Amino acid sequence: MVDKVISFWESVIFVDESKFNIFGSDGRISVWRKPNEELNPKNLLPTAKHGGGGIMVCGCSAASGMENLVSLKIIWTNISILKENLKISAPKLGI
């Protein structure tokens, strides 16, 4: 791709998606503590019961700029949302 001319890259739309969590991270959290301090408040993390707490978004950009940011309620299973977003964004980006 290094040898592609600039006019090629001016006709490309880049699409990316990201997941954002409302309540912390999906990763594992470790706490270092001394023996018999499991329930010490400084070693506990607050939690909340909720129905998910995250959002998936998809956006696109091109050499001419950025366009729509779309919230995806069904993660990648509804490809028509993505196609529709690209159909709307491409003319606005001049592609």
Side-chain angles (χ1 to χ4, degrees), residues 34-48:
K34 295 177 182 175
N36 301 318
E37 285 193 344
E38 300 88 27
L39 299 178
N40 187 330
K42 72 176 185 176
N43 294 331
L44 300 176
L45 294 173
T47 59

Side-chain angles (χ1 to χ4, degrees), residues 71-91:
S71 170
L72 301 174
K73 293 182 173 111
I74 302 171
I75 302 171
W76 288 111
T77 56
N78 193 346
I79 199 74
S80 64
I81 294 172
L82 301 174
K83 287 181 180 179
E84 189 61 32
N85 183 37
L86 289 176
K87 285 180 187 176
I88 293 169
S89 298

Side-chain angles (χ1 to χ4, degrees), residues 4-85:
K4 297 286 185 185
V5 294
I6 291 176
S7 60
F8 169 81
W9 293 111
E10 290 173 344
S11 66
V12 174
I13 295 179
F14 296 95
V15 178
D16 196 14
E17 78 285 341
S18 291
K19 180 182 175 208
F20 298 95
N21 292 325
I22 296 170
F23 295 102
S25 169
D26 287 338
R28 185 174 254 198
I29 298 172
S30 299
V31 177
W32 290 90
R33 61 179 186 257
K34 295 177 182 175
N36 301 318
E37 285 193 344
E38 300 88 27
L39 299 178
N40 187 330
K42 72 176 185 176
N43 294 331
L44 300 176
L45 294 173
T47 59
K49 292 195 177 213
H50 54 82
I55 186 170
M56 187 79 160
V57 295
C58 176
C60 61
S61 64
S64 57
M66 293 185 292
E67 263 308 315
N68 296 339
L69 185 66
V70 177
S71 170
L72 301 174
K73 293 182 173 111
I74 302 171
I75 302 171
W76 288 111
T77 56
N78 193 346
I79 199 74
S80 64
I81 294 172
L82 301 174
K83 287 181 180 179
E84 189 61 32
N85 183 37

